[in-house]
Every structure is written in structure tokens, then in C-alpha cells.
């Protein structure tokens, strides 16, 4: 009868149970690993043999067949080394388990039988808990990350010999206590909005964008403060909930980017890829269908500086994830779905030279039109707020006056977010106004009569698309939330109409 040791594999950002079955058969000495494992799994043969011999265990001179079940799902990673080694010891009766008859294990083996950390520990431990496994063995380096999951016993070891001695009941071991989720009272950032001078009107729209989770496009001349403002947006976003922190940490664990071992990612991500980033780097992909920047920005901010310099094909690839809040990466070997609920913040110049409308600008009308056409209509449609950022005058720059701090602005954002949290508490996957679908817009974006007439006038004059119309309603809903109003008032509609400068310049001034 084959020995079975439970382990786990990763699909997207979620783990699933894998039974590592080991059987020895009379025949020429050989190790065969089946079950659709990748190269790292196949190479476990040499690592396991070297580790067993170095650990003073007997390596059987027989044919060894190892099956990773379910066998029809592709598996990757070096973390199957430990369960393969334990399965082989069980099969050859070199291991007599007296402690923890039911357990799961993950870990890479070095050639001298030491356990090494591996990627994806957190989602695999979550999968263990969902599968009803109460105990799990991990490398000591991974113990703090694994302990983030509540309700499961976690032990960590440095060597294969220590694992065997533990399972055979030799000596005592203190179970790693569960890590407690404690949201920070105040995140410490090296930047603050009080450093931004002369942009009070723009900051009001930044606060609205943060409060409603709206996508934002800033247009302005070089040096007017677009990047400076964007880098400070995370300082006013509300703290992540435990669920959001766990989701974000899972993604970084799978991507191998989890730097703070044993800690959930508490600060909202801020990703700012360069404009020469490929489509695969931004959306996700590669041979193993890895997560891209949009997934690494999940629950945070994706900042595209100089967005017009990005490849048009790359930008258009954002359209579906921005609507669905997830992305499916399909490759020959892998088909993974990653979450991608992010706030898109973009910045661009008004023309190729950046000084459109000023005496130093030498761009022709054709060059300006060609430059702006790098952003397709569907992408502009998905930008809830499009605002010009005006240059700062000398008086504001030379003044000692400081604007509102990030903490003050954050309090306003959190106040509006608390209203939205209560509004959507019974709706899965919707946390802010920017995530509302058609049905929720119908239910929660009720206009007062004067506001209805104002929006009707603008709609008839400029023939907005249905998406643009809904964007106006969602932004107006956030303006109303900022003021604590149950209904959307005329002033909220007017403010929303003034939020899309690039698409309809002068539209809001006409209706007013």
C-alpha cells in the first residue's frame, strides 16, 4: 500500500490540497515523479536523494514512483521536497509517526537536508485549514508567515532530521502561537499632503477620488506637481481591513515579494511601473502566468506616470480588469485568475512638449491631437475624474503656508468610506462607490429634481456614453457622501460634471 503525505499547490492566489503518494516497486533503482509537475518538481528527485543520504537515512535501491494527486492539475514549485522525503521514509518504514497522524507539510530541501523557505506559504496554509487539516509543518523561515492563519497548529524546523524526530514523538515542541491582526493606529509615510502648495482645488478632487475609489487622470505641464500629488494618495486612503490585508499578502506571497516575514501587508500597495513596461508585466503573464502590476496593486493604487507614453496595446489591456476587478491569465500550461481591484491614478502632459497653451509650446495641432489619441476613448471613459493641474504661482511657492495634512484629509476620506461600508455591507465584492454596478447605481444614486434636470441638460448637449453617464452618477454619489447627504443634490451633480476636464472641456461651465 502506498504511503500518503498531504501537501499543497497553488492555482492563481489560492492553494489546494495535494496527496503525495509514494510507492516502491522491485526493479532498477529509479525515481519517477508523475502528476503534471513542472521542472522544479521533477528536480526534487536529486534533492531528496541527496538530503536523505546526508541525513543518515537509507535510500532504497528500488524503483520509486511518486504521484501528485489530483494528477490532472499542473503543479509547480520546490515545496514538494519535504512531503516526498517523508513519504519515502514512511514507505521504507524508516519513520514511525507517533505524533500528529493527520498533518500537512511544505518545504524545499537543500542537498545537506536543511529546510528552505518557499513562495506561496500563506495561501497553502489557508488551503490546509479549509481542507480540515489541523496541523502543518513548514521551514522555520516560513513559520511566522504560516502563523498568520488562525485555527491551525504550525511548527517550523531547520532540518529533515528535526521533522522526523518531532513526528516520532521525541522531545517537546512549543506550537507557534497564532499571529494577531492589529491594524496600525496611524501609518507612517515619508510624505504628506501638507507639502503640496497651491493645489487646493485639485486636492479636493483627490480626496473625492480616494473616498469613492475612483480612477483619476491628471493633466498638466511638467513640474506642476502631478507625481508629487500621486505619491501622497496612499497617505489618505483608509486602513485596510483584515480581509483586505490577507488578500494582498496572499498575492505578494505567491509572487515571492513578501518582505516582512510574519506580518500582514498593512499599508495599501502603491505600484508605479515605468512606461516601457510590457503588457505581461502590467497585466500578468510569462510562462507560469504570474501576477502583474495590476494584481500587486490590489486594494491599493496603480500609478501610471506619463500614461501617454505607454504602449496603446498595453493600456487597452487594462480595460477588462478595470471593469471586472480581476484578470485571468491564460497560457499553454497555466490558467490563473488574480484579483485586480485597484484605484488607477494616471498623469500626462497636455501635448508632446508639455507646454500646450503657453508661448514656449511649438507643437502643431496635429501633434497635439495625435498625442492625446494615444489614450483610447474606452480608457478615457473609465477614468472617473479627469482634471487639469495648474502650475503653481510664485506667491504660493514662496509662502510658508502649509495646506491640510494627510491626517486631516484621511479623516474626511474615512468618514465617507464608513457611509459606503454601511451601504454595501450586505453586498459581496463592493466596498466603495467606484465599484458599483448598474443595479447598485439605480438603487443608491437617487437624484434630487434640480440635479436630475442639470444632468439631463448636460446629457442632451454632449451625448455622453452610458458608461460616462454612470461615472458622473458615482462621482456625484461620493460628493454627496462627503457632505453626509442621503440624496444627490444639484451641487453634487455640478461638481461631478466639473470632474472630467479632458473629455468635455467646458461642459460643466455651460450647464452652470
Amino acid at each position: 500500500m502506498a504511503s500518503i503525505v498531504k501537501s499543497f499547490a497553488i492555482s492563481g492566489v489560492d492553494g489546494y490540497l495535494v496527496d503525495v503518494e509514494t510507492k516502491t516497486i522491485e526493479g532498477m533503482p529509479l525515481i519517477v515523479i508523475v502528476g503534471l509537475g513542472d521542472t522544479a518538481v521533477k528536480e526534487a528527485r536529486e534533492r531528496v536523494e541527496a538530503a536523505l543520504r546526508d541525513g543518515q537515512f537509507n535510500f532504497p535501491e528500488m524503483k520509486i514512483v511518486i504521484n501528485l494527486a489530483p494528477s490532472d492539475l499542473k503543479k509547480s514549485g520546490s515545496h514538494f521536497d519535504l512531503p516526498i522525503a517523508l513519504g519515502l521514509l514512511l514507505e521504507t518504514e524508516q519513520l514511525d509517526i507517533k505524533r500528529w497522524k493527520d498533518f500537512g507539510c511544505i518545504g524545499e530541501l537543500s542537498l545537506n537536508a536543511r529546510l528552505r523557505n518557499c513562495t506561496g506559504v500563506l495561501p497553502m496554509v489557508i488551503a490546509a485549514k479549509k481542507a480540515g487539516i489541523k496541523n502543518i509543518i513548514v521551514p522555520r523561515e516560513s513559520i511566522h508567515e504560516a502563523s498568520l492563519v488562525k485555527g491551525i497548529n504550525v511548527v517550523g524546523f531547520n532540518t529533515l532530521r528535526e521533522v522526523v524526530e518531532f513526528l516520532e514523538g521525541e522531545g517537546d515542541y512549543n506550537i507557534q502561537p497564532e499571529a494577531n491582526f492589529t491594524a496600525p493606529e496611524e501609518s507612517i509615510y515619508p510624505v504628506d499632503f501638507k507639502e503640496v502648495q497651491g493645489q487646493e482645488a485639485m486636492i479636493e478632487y483627490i480626496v473625492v477620488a480616494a473616498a469613492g475609489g475612483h480612477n483619476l487622470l491628471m493633466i498638466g505641464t511638467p513640474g506642476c506637481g502631478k507625481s508629487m500629488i500621486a505619491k501622497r494618495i496612499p497617505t489618505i486612503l483608509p486602513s485596510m481591513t483584515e480581509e483586505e490585508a490577507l488578500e494582498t499578502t496572499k498575492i505578494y506571497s505567491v509572487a515571492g515579494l513578501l518582505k516582512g516575514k510574519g506580518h500582514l501587508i498593512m499599508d495599501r500597495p502603491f505600484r508605479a511601473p515605468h512606461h516601457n513596461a510590457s503588457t505581461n508585466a502590467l497585466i500578468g503573464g510569462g510562462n507560469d502566468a504570474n501576477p502583474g502590476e495590476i494584481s500587486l496593486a490590489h486594494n491599493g493604487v496603480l500609478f501610471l506616470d506619463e500614461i501617454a507614453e505607454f504602449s496603446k496595446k498595453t493600456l487597452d489591456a487594462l480595460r477588462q480588469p478595470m471593469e471586472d476587478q480581476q484578470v485571468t491569465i491564460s497560457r499553454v500550461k497555466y490558467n490563473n485568475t488574480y484579483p485586480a481591484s485597484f484605484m488607477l491614478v494616471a498623469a500626462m502632459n497636455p501635448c508632446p512638449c508639455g507646454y500646450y497653451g503657453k508661448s514656449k509650446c511649438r507643437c502643431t495641432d496635429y501633434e497635439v491631437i495625435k498625442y492625446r489619441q494615444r489614450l483610447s476613448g474606452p480608457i478615457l471613459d473609465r477614468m472617473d475624474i479627469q482634471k487639469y493641474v495648474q502650475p503653481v504661482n510664485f506667491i504660493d511657492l514662496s509662502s510658508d503656508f502649509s495646506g491640510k495634512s494627510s491626517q486631516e484629509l484621511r479623516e474626511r476620506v474615512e468618514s465617507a468610506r464608513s457611509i459606503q461600508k454601511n451601504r454595501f455591507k450586505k453586498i459581496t465584492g463592493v466596498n466603495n462607490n467606484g465599484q458599483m454596478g448598474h443595479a447598485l447605481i439605480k438603487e443608491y444614486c437617487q437624484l434630487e429634481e434640480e440635479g436630475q434636470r442639470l444632468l439631463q441638460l448636460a446629457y442632451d448637449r454632449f451625448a455622453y456614453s452610458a458608461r460616462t453617464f454612470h461615472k458622473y452618477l458615482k462621482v456625484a454619489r461620493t460628493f454627496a457622501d462627503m457632505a453626509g447627504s442621503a440624496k444627490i443634490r444639484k451641487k453634487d451633480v455640478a461638481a461631478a460634471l466639473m470632474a472630467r476636464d479632458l473629455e468635455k472641456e467646458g461642459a460643466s461651465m455651460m450647464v452652470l
Side-chain angles (χ1 to χ4, degrees):
M1 185 175 179
S3 62
I4 300 176
V5 177
K6 296 185 184 300
S7 189
F8 313 91
I10 298 291
S11 177
V13 293
D14 297 315
Y16 62 91
L17 183 65
V18 173
D19 286 337
V20 180
E21 304 171 343
T22 306
K23 183 70 175 178
T24 55
I25 304 172
E26 292 294 336
M28 183 180 295
L30 178 68
I31 301 179
V32 179
I33 301 178
V34 297
L36 295 182
D38 68 352
T39 303
V41 175
K42 300 295 184 184
E43 291 176 347
R45 295 174 296 192
E46 284 71 25
R47 290 193 297 270
V48 169
E49 181 176 356
L52 288 177
R53 294 186 185 279
D54 190 88
Q56 306 303 312
F57 295 103
N58 295 323
F59 192 82
E61 299 296 329
M62 305 174 68
K63 181 177 181 180
I64 303 166
V65 180
I66 298 164
N67 180 43
L68 307 180
S71 301
D72 60 336
L73 297 178
K74 294 180 174 65
K75 304 165 190 74
S76 63
S78 59
H79 60 277
F80 291 110
D81 292 3
L82 179 58
I84 288 174
L86 293 179
L88 193 52
L89 292 176
L90 280 172
E91 181 68 10
T92 56
E93 298 182 350
Q94 298 181 70
L95 172 61
D96 181 19
I97 297 179
K98 297 178 180 178
R99 177 189 285 160
W100 281 11
K101 294 294 183 181
D102 180 31
F103 68 93
C105 60
I106 51 178
E108 177 186 331
L109 284 172
S110 70
L111 300 184
N112 60 359
R114 294 190 67 82
L115 288 177
R116 288 190 175 129
N117 189 21
C118 46
T119 61
V121 171
L122 181 59
M124 286 190 280
V125 176
I126 293 174
K129 181 182 176 181
K130 289 181 179 178
I133 296 174
K134 300 295 183 183
N135 312 298
I136 190 162
I137 299 171
V138 299
R140 188 170 291 277
E141 291 179 72
S142 307
I143 191 168
H144 295 297
E145 181 182 342
S147 300
L148 293 172
V149 183
K150 300 176 181 178
I152 189 168
N153 297 322
V154 179
V155 291
F157 299 98
N158 290 318
T159 66
L160 176 61
R161 174 62 68 177
E162 290 177 1
V163 176
V164 171
E165 290 176 353
F166 173 79
L167 292 174
E168 290 182 337
E170 298 180 14
D172 296 325
Y173 184 94
N174 294 324
I175 304 298
Q176 179 71 13
E178 296 173 352
N180 293 321
F181 173 82
T182 53
E185 293 182 4
E186 183 177 348
S187 296
I188 300 175
Y189 291 93
V191 294
D192 196 285
F193 261 107
K194 65 182 178 182
E195 300 162 357
V196 180
Q197 295 178 302
Q199 296 291 358
E200 287 75 15
M202 184 66 211
I203 289 176
E204 282 301 308
Y205 279 94
I206 297 294
V207 172
V208 170
H214 301 294
N215 299 322
L216 170 70
L217 173 62
M218 294 180 286
I219 313 99
T221 57
C224 65
K226 303 185 297 293
S227 298
M228 185 180 187
I229 290 172
K231 292 174 183 177
R232 283 155 178 76
I233 290 177
T235 67
I236 65 174
L237 292 175
S239 301
M240 287 203 290
T241 63
E242 182 174 4
E243 181 182 359
E244 289 175 327
L246 201 57
E247 287 177 351
T248 303
T249 307
K250 280 171 59 179
I251 297 171
Y252 278 73
S253 178
V254 169
L257 299 175
L258 196 58
K259 297 179 180 178
K261 295 178 180 178
H263 301 283
L264 290 175
I265 295 177
M266 302 303 303
D267 293 327
R268 293 189 180 272
F270 180 83
R271 306 292 298 186
H274 191 263
H275 57 72
N276 70 349
S278 66
T279 303
N280 285 352
L282 192 64
I283 306 301
N287 292 334
D288 298 332
N290 295 318
E293 291 291 339
I294 62 173
S295 296
L296 296 175
H298 181 61
N299 291 322
V301 175
L302 177 66
F303 176 46
L304 301 184
D305 198 7
E306 304 296 346
I307 187 173
E309 302 298 334
F310 280 79
S311 161
K312 191 170 183 178
K313 176 183 175 182
T314 299
L315 290 179
D316 285 341
L318 289 171
R319 288 153 58 175
Q320 180 263 334
M322 288 171 69
E323 292 293 318
D324 298 344
Q325 299 171 30
Q326 65 178 23
V327 61
T328 299
I329 309 298
S330 298
R331 295 294 182 268
V332 174
K333 294 183 178 180
Y334 298 96
N335 189 342
N336 295 333
T337 298
Y338 298 109
S341 177
F342 56 90
M343 175 183 171
L344 177 60
V345 178
M348 65 178 289
N349 295 328
C351 67
C353 77
Y355 297 98
Y356 180 72
K358 299 187 179 299
S359 58
K360 64 172 71 176
C361 179
R362 294 294 182 267
C363 299
T364 65
D365 291 344
Y366 173 77
E367 288 173 332
V368 174
I369 294 172
K370 192 74 173 175
Y371 180 78
R372 296 192 180 188
Q373 282 179 343
R374 294 181 184 180
L375 292 186
S376 65
I379 286 293
L380 282 177
D381 245 2
R382 288 167 169 82
M383 306 303 293
D384 304 36
I385 298 176
Q386 308 162 9
K387 291 296 293 181
Y388 279 106
V389 182
Q390 300 301 327
V392 184
N393 60 43
F394 175 79
I395 295 176
D396 288 328
L397 281 176
S398 58
S399 171
D400 293 332
F401 174 77
S402 295
K404 292 182 179 179
S405 67
S406 291
Q407 181 60 32
E408 293 176 283
L409 299 178
R410 186 174 186 172
E411 290 174 0
R412 296 177 58 195
V413 170
E414 290 184 333
S415 175
R417 282 287 183 108
S418 64
I419 295 174
Q420 296 167 47
K421 183 179 179 180
N422 184 63
R423 177 183 297 139
F424 305 125
K425 62 183 177 182
K426 295 182 180 180
I427 303 170
T428 304
V430 179
N431 301 308
N432 54 57
N433 292 335
Q435 297 173 341
M436 284 193 294
H438 179 74
L440 295 178
I441 292 174
K442 287 285 187 182
E443 182 176 356
Y444 296 113
C445 295
Q446 300 296 322
L447 299 174
E448 291 183 349
E449 188 175 344
E450 290 185 351
Q452 179 81 23
R453 286 199 300 267
L454 182 59
L455 191 55
Q456 176 74 48
L457 180 61
Y459 184 83
D460 292 342
R461 172 68 183 274
F462 295 100
Y464 297 130
S465 69
R467 181 184 289 115
T468 302
F469 176 71
H470 287 153
K471 293 292 186 187
Y472 279 131
L473 289 177
K474 288 192 281 189
V475 173
R477 176 68 271 172
T478 303
F479 272 105
D481 290 342
M482 296 287 290
S485 175
K487 277 198 171 186
I488 299 175
R489 305 159 298 174
K490 179 181 178 182
K491 62 170 66 176
D492 301 324
V493 174
L497 290 172
M498 295 176 66
R500 296 172 71 92
D501 293 346
L502 187 62
E503 184 184 62
K504 301 294 182 185
E505 294 182 30
S508 54
M509 295 304 295
M510 183 282 302
V511 297
L512 290 175

